[in-house]
Amino acid sequence: MFKAMLKKEFVLVLRDKHSLAALFIMPSIFILIMSIALKDTFSDDRAFIRYNVTDNDQSNISRSLSAILDHTTNLQQYDHAITDSKELQAALNKGLHFALTIPKGFSEKFIVNTSKNLLRLDVASEVKMDMLNLFKGELSNVLMQIRIEQMLQQFEPVVPGITAQINSQAIDTSDLVNIHFNGLPPNKIPTSTQQSVPSWIVFGMFFIIIPMSTIFINERKQNTLMRMSAMNISIPILFAGKIIPYMLINQIQVWLMIGVGIFIVPFFGADALTLGNSLTGLLLVSTGLSLAAIGTSMVIAVSVNSVEQATTIGGILNILFGAIGGVMVPKFLMPQSMQMLSNISPMSWGLDGFLDIFLRGLSVQEVLTEAFALAGFGIIQLLIAGLLFSRKKRNGI
Amino acid sequence: MIRINNLSKYYGTTAALNAINICIGKGVIFGLLGPNGAGKTTLISILNGLTTFQEGEILVCDLPLRKNLREIRKRCTFIPQFLALYDNLSVIENLHFFAGIQNISGTVLQNNLDYAITTNSLEKLLKQKAVTLSGGQKRRLNIAIGLLNNPDILYFDEPTIGIDPESRNDILSTIRSLKKDNKTVVYTSHYMDEIEKICDEAAIINHGEIIAQGSLDALLQTANDNSAIIELHYSDQTSLHLLTDCIDTLQVIDGSTLKLKQQNSTNMSALLKILETKQIAVKQIRYQSMDLESLFITLTASENSHV
């Protein structure tokens, strides 16, 4: 009996191009795009802050400032010359983050220690405060370095050899701190792939709401459910005949997307996905997520009356769960109140579980809470769907 | 095969079925006639365990329906009014699916599939998706699905709605052919000619009550009132009503039509004489023998006039 139900459900999904696109192609493409788009954000190899310096002072100090900035790892000089304010505005709209203008007379003011409005900084409107603070920090370091060199030059005639002595005691700040990311081996840094794959797996899994609810509604409309009832198929058997195939479809999705992360993403220059330390944890969280997604699908499928309603409500619910649950905007970027709110989304629990495994390398014990919460949520939804459906059935399917 | 005793079904305080009594023997094709809302589909749903009932008793294959629903369902099939199949599956995939969920497998599956396919002439359509079939072909597939468990009893709920006459005839002969396999069929339809063509017995149901029941021949014989319709070159209904005082069995249909019930040579010549005296010319005389449709209309109309 289940074999027939399983086969039927697979054939119906496989013959529905829209379902296939939503279940398999869309999340795979998301993973690819997001991993590639964000790869530099997680890399220390390439500077991601683009800046430009307009030196109207043309002094030794201003030239020194430009030169030191040029050697700073996090910064990348804008590759187009900017000669007037119009070009500057255009550049700030087209990818330039910061435009530093060194005004004429800067070096005189710097020497006499005038610290107010020494430089002008134009900032692109999309620049976030953390990026601005980072640039200001780099700029302060450079100015501090120039000031120290300048002071050493002043002291050199009084204390000969002081410059050499100070330079010999200088420390290399690049290796000063041994950075260790939680859950990762030493010298390993988190990658965009490790961050993106969990999000889009969670999001993709919930997309079964659409094929599952539309197939169920069509079965209601085409009276096949009524016929099945007359063939001794009870509600628990009918639901089991839905749950099992869609859990398998969800597992295929999970492993397909993991496959994309491991094998396809590296072809496009981003880092390959690594599986973490707990395959059991991964299976538990994905099974819990599956139940949550299937439960939600069934509640929608038995509550609404048309395929159009199911696709609209299913789509909206998916996006809302994703937005609240930290799929689209990472939770750590959200204000405290939003982070609290995100806990109402089952996608948030699933994402936490997957991040624990993929990103933090935690064990199965650490994801049991998320897995059971998701499974509980799914089972409650399925019970609600069962009650609603049996009531509808009594009144004629 | 099916015995229904004093069956009543209520929706709130409204009776959908009221004290229904029907007895259907093995191998009988039984027609269930009634206008929309009469209670036909409710009765079929109850017989298939899709709807509950409050009073009465139903025995199917000598087993009480309430206690033996699962067992009874294995020996029955329901072919619903609407096409209950999967458009995106092929004919053979539909058949395999519905056989699979009934746990039919092995040799039984092969035999029952062959029976369902040949009975409904689906041999050349097996690989075609249901969505591409014509209305008639879909109806045949709908019936074939119902035959997969090789049932003893088949419930057809208006299976020929919306199809062309040729397909309709094919389906009717398919249903008629089930008789030779000694299957019991309960058949509801709006088309009286279908019931006349294929049924051995029938019941007319109206407002949830059986108003006539029996073999088709007996029903028609009882109902046949041996009447004649007399069409006149005349158009005064009031004057015609005066004639009814002279002949008891005369009925005025309209200003130019009379109906003489239980006509015989005596009352017919009396009528013609009166008409001649009153110089009313006769256009045509038709002798009527009542068919099922007339019987249905007469019975349901008289029932409705009492309501």
Side-chain angles (χ1 to χ4, degrees), chain A residues 91-350:
Chain A
L92 285 169
N93 289 331
K94 283 184 185 169
L96 174 65
H97 295 123
F98 301 104
L100 182 69
T101 306
I102 306 174
K104 198 165 175 56
F106 160 75
S107 55
E108 286 86 357
K109 284 183 184 170
F110 187 72
I111 288 164
V112 296
N113 206 11
T114 307
S115 57
K116 210 171 179 187
N117 296 330
L118 269 182
L119 299 162
R120 177 192 162 99
L121 185 65
D122 289 280
V123 183
S125 53
E126 75 268 20
V127 165
K128 294 190 189 89
M129 289 313 289
D130 52 356
M131 195 196 258
L132 175 61
N133 289 335
L134 183 63
F135 186 77
K136 278 165 70 181
E138 293 287 359
L139 193 58
S140 300
N141 283 342
V142 173
L143 290 171
M144 198 74 77
Q145 195 178 334
I146 294 171
R147 170 57 51 89
I148 289 167
E149 281 171 8
Q150 196 192 13
M151 285 166 75
L152 287 173
Q153 278 172 22
Q154 285 170 1
F155 284 125
E156 190 61 40
V158 185
V159 188
I162 189 168
T163 309
Q165 195 182 343
I166 294 286
N167 282 343
S168 70
Q169 289 175 14
I171 47 173
D172 182 1
T173 55
S174 62
D175 291 329
L176 193 63
V177 182
N178 182 13
I179 297 166
H180 188 198
F181 284 96
N182 188 25
L184 296 184
N187 304 321
K188 276 273 181 187
I189 60 167
T191 66
S192 59
T193 314
Q194 296 300 114
Q195 298 265 3
S196 300
V197 172
S199 301
W200 302 110
I201 289 179
V202 171
F203 196 56
M205 285 177 80
F206 265 79
F207 262 90
I208 57 151
I209 288 177
I210 292 174
M212 198 173 169
S213 54
T214 52
I215 287 173
F216 194 81
I217 288 164
N218 279 332
E219 286 177 316
R220 265 170 56 197
K221 298 271 170 203
Q222 291 173 350
N223 297 292
T224 42
L225 291 187
M226 184 183 67
R227 181 163 232 165
M228 282 192 242
S229 264
M231 290 175 173
N232 277 333
I233 303 294
S234 61
I235 294 178
I237 292 173
L238 180 72
F239 275 35
K242 295 277 170 193
I243 295 166
I244 297 167
Y246 283 99
M247 281 182 100
L248 283 173
I249 288 173
N250 269 157
Q251 283 304 319
I252 294 171
Q253 275 187 298
V254 171
W255 290 100
L256 176 79
M257 287 185 264
I258 287 174
V260 169
I262 294 174
F263 301 111
I264 313 282
V265 167
F267 273 115
F268 293 87
D271 296 282
L273 178 77
T274 51
L275 274 183
N277 302 323
S278 175
L279 191 62
T280 319
L282 175 60
L283 285 171
L284 272 180
V285 174
S286 59
T287 306
L289 257 170
S290 221
L291 274 171
I294 288 167
T296 310
S297 309
M298 288 307 287
V299 169
I300 292 175
V302 299
S303 310
V304 303
N305 291 318
S306 70
V307 168
E308 290 77 14
Q309 285 176 343
T311 46
T312 310
I313 293 172
I316 290 172
L317 206 63
N318 245 13
I319 290 167
L320 279 179
F321 274 165
I324 297 170
V327 168
M328 290 161 186
V329 178
K331 276 202 286 185
F332 65 84
L333 289 180
M334 293 178 182
Q336 196 61 37
S337 56
M338 276 296 288
Q339 286 188 29
M340 289 287 287
L341 184 69
S342 74
N343 289 326
I344 65 165
S345 166
M347 281 196 199
S348 162
W349 317 337

Side-chain angles (χ1 to χ4, degrees), chain B residues 27-63:
Chain B
V28 168
I29 302 187
F30 189 89
L32 197 57
L33 287 168
N36 285 336
K40 303 186 299 288
T41 303
T42 304
L43 181 55
I44 291 276
S45 296
I46 288 173
L47 287 168
N48 282 285
L50 297 170
T51 306
T52 54
F53 57 97
Q54 285 89 6
E55 290 167 21
E57 185 191 34
I58 299 173
L59 296 171
V60 180
C61 309
D62 294 328
L63 298 169

Side-chain angles (χ1 to χ4, degrees), chain A residues 51 60 66 88 194 211 242 244 265 274 324 330 335 366 376 380 388:
Chain A
Y51 77 100
N60 284 339
S66 292
L88 177 70
Q194 296 300 114
K242 295 277 170 193
I244 297 167
V265 167
T274 51
I324 297 170
E366 310 291 334
I380 289 167
L388 288 173

